[in-house]
C-alpha cells in the first residue's frame, strides 16, 4: 500500500498572510505547496483571455477542468513560476482585478468541482502544505493539522497595500478596504464551500503577529502534535 502523505492546511481570508506563511512552512518542512487561490485566479485570467463570460458557469467549469497550468520552483530561487498554457503569467494573477474575478469564479460550484481532484493530486510524500479557503473543510478534510489564519480587515488592507506598492502595482487604501470587505462577504456567504474554519482547525489571529512569529507558531503546532522528538 502506498503511504498516505500528511497534509497541513492553512485557510483564511485575503491578506491574512496565509500565502506567505504556507510558503515558509513548506520550505521549513521540505514539503510540497499548493496555492489553491492561484488556480481560481488562473481560471479567471484564462477566462478573460479566451473571452469566457464570468457568468457562464458551464464554459468556466469546462475551461477549469482542462486548465493547462504548471507551477515550477527553479533551483536556487524563492519565487514560484506559474505557467498558463505554457507561458509564465508573472504578476498578472496578483492584481486586484484578477483577485476579484477569481472570487466570482470561485463562487461557482461547477468550477470548484472541476478543480477538486486536481487539488487533491498535489498530495505527495513527504507532505503537502495547502493554502486556501476550503482546504481543511472540503479538499483535505482528513488533514493532519488545520490552521485558520485571520486578521482585522484594516490590518489586511494595510498589508495588501504594502504588498502591491512593493510590486510596483498602484493601489489605494480606502478602495482596498472596501474590496477586501466585499470579497470577505462573497467568500463567507457563498453557498458552496464558504470560507469558515473547520471544526477541528486551530484559529490564529495574526493582527498583532509578525510573519516570523506566525511561522514559528505554525511550525511549533505541527511539531508539538506530530514530531515532538525533533524539537
Ligand atoms: O487566496 P487568493 O486571494 O489567491 O484567492 C483568490 C480567490 O479565490 C479568493 O477570492 C477566494 C477564492 N478561493 C477559494 O474560493 N477557495 C480556495 N481554496 C482558494 C481561493
Amino acid at each position: 500500500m502506498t503511504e498516505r502523505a500528511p497534509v497541513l492546511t492553512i485557510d483564511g481570508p485575503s491578506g491574512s498572510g496565509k500565502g506567505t506563511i504556507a510558503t515558509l512552512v513548506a520550505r521549513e518542512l521540505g514539503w510540497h505547496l499548493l496555492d489553491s487561490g492561484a488556480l481560481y485566479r488562473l481560471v479567471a485570467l484564462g477566462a478573460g483571455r479566451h473571452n469566457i463570460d464570468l457568468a457562464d458557469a458551464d464554459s468556466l467549469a469546462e475551461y477549469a477542468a482542462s486548465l493547462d497550468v504548471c507551477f515550477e520552483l527553479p533551483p536556487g530561487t524563492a519565487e514560484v513560476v506559474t505557467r498558463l498554457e505554457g507561458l509564465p503569467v508573472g504578476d498578472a494573477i496578483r492584481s486586484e482585478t484578477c483577485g476579484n474575478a477569481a472570487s466570482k469564479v470561485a463562487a461557482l460550484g461547477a468550477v470548484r468541482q472541476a478543480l477538486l481532484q486536481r487539488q487533491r493530486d498535489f498530495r505527495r510524500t513527504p507532505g503537502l502544505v495547502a493554502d486556501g479557503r476550503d482546504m481543511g473543510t472540503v479538499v483535505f478534510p482528513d488533514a493532519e493539522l488545520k490552521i485558520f489564519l485571520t486578521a482585522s480587515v484594516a490590518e489586511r488592507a494595510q498589508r495588501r497595500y504594502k504588498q502591491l506598492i512593493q510590486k510596483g502595482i498602484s493601489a489605494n487604501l480606502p478602495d482596498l478596504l472596501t474590496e477586501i470587505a466585499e470579497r470577505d462577504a462573497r467568500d463567507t456567504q457563498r453557498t458552496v464551500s464558504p470560507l469558515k474554519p473547520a471544526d477541528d482547525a486551530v484559529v490564529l489571529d495574526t493582527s498583532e503577529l509578525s510573519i516570523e512569529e506566525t511561522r514559528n507558531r505554525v511550525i511549533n503546532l505541527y511539531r508539538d502534535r506530530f514530531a515532538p522528538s525533533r524539537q
Side-chain angles (χ1 to χ4, degrees):
M1 209 172 86
T2 24
E3 196 194 333
R4 203 190 56 132
V7 181
L8 191 164
T9 59
I10 304 185
D11 287 304
S14 303
S16 58
K18 60 189 168 19
T20 308
I21 299 303
T23 309
L24 292 172
V25 170
R27 190 169 302 149
E28 170 78 18
L29 298 177
W31 287 10
H32 301 281
L33 178 68
L34 165 62
D35 170 4
S36 61
L39 292 176
Y40 291 98
R41 286 173 182 265
L42 286 160
V43 171
L45 183 74
R49 290 182 179 171
H50 294 287
N51 293 318
I52 303 171
D53 193 326
L54 290 188
D56 181 352
D58 290 345
S59 302
L60 284 170
E62 201 180 309
Y63 179 67
S66 61
L67 192 69
D68 174 8
V69 53
C70 93
F71 300 103
E72 295 160 0
L73 189 58
T77 59
E79 291 260 333
V80 173
V81 175
T82 304
R83 290 178 185 274
L84 179 63
E85 291 150 21
L87 297 175
V89 294
D91 280 335
I93 57 165
R94 296 294 152 206
S95 72
E96 289 307 291
T97 314
C98 188
N100 286 323
S103 160
K104 290 180 186 149
V105 159
L108 302 169
V111 171
R112 304 198 73 86
Q113 193 55 39
L115 293 177
L116 189 58
Q117 190 53 46
R118 179 175 291 235
Q119 295 174 84
R120 290 184 174 152
D121 290 342
F122 279 78
R123 186 176 202 161
R124 277 177 259 130
T125 52
L128 175 69
V129 178
D131 104 62
R133 303 293 189 291
D134 61 344
M135 297 296 99
T137 49
V138 176
V139 182
F140 302 108
D142 59 343
E144 276 63 21
L145 176 61
K146 301 177 184 178
I147 307 286
F148 191 89
L149 291 186
T150 156
S152 66
V153 175
E155 175 64 25
R156 288 187 284 129
Q158 191 65 248
R159 288 177 188 171
R160 188 65 101 198
Y161 179 78
K162 280 195 202 146
Q163 216 174 38
L164 290 170
I165 296 297
Q166 262 170 16
K167 288 188 173 175
I169 302 173
S170 71
N172 165 300
L173 195 54
D175 287 352
L176 281 175
L177 265 169
T178 313
E179 278 169 20
I180 287 187
E182 279 173 8
R183 203 182 306 172
D184 277 2
R186 206 159 40 226
D187 292 345
T188 52
Q189 288 161 21
R190 69 181 177 220
T191 44
V192 274
S193 304
L195 170 67
K196 62 166 186 186
D199 291 340
D200 51 349
V202 178
V203 179
L204 273 184
D205 185 331
T206 70
S207 304
E208 308 285 329
L209 297 179
S210 67
I211 290 173
E212 193 64 17
E213 286 166 332
T214 312
R215 169 196 164 280
N216 290 344
R217 287 212 192 179
V218 175
I219 294 284
N220 288 339
L221 277 166
Y222 169 74
R223 294 211 163 127
D224 284 350
R225 284 201 192 180
F226 299 103
S229 58
R230 278 213 260 154
Q231 285 188 69

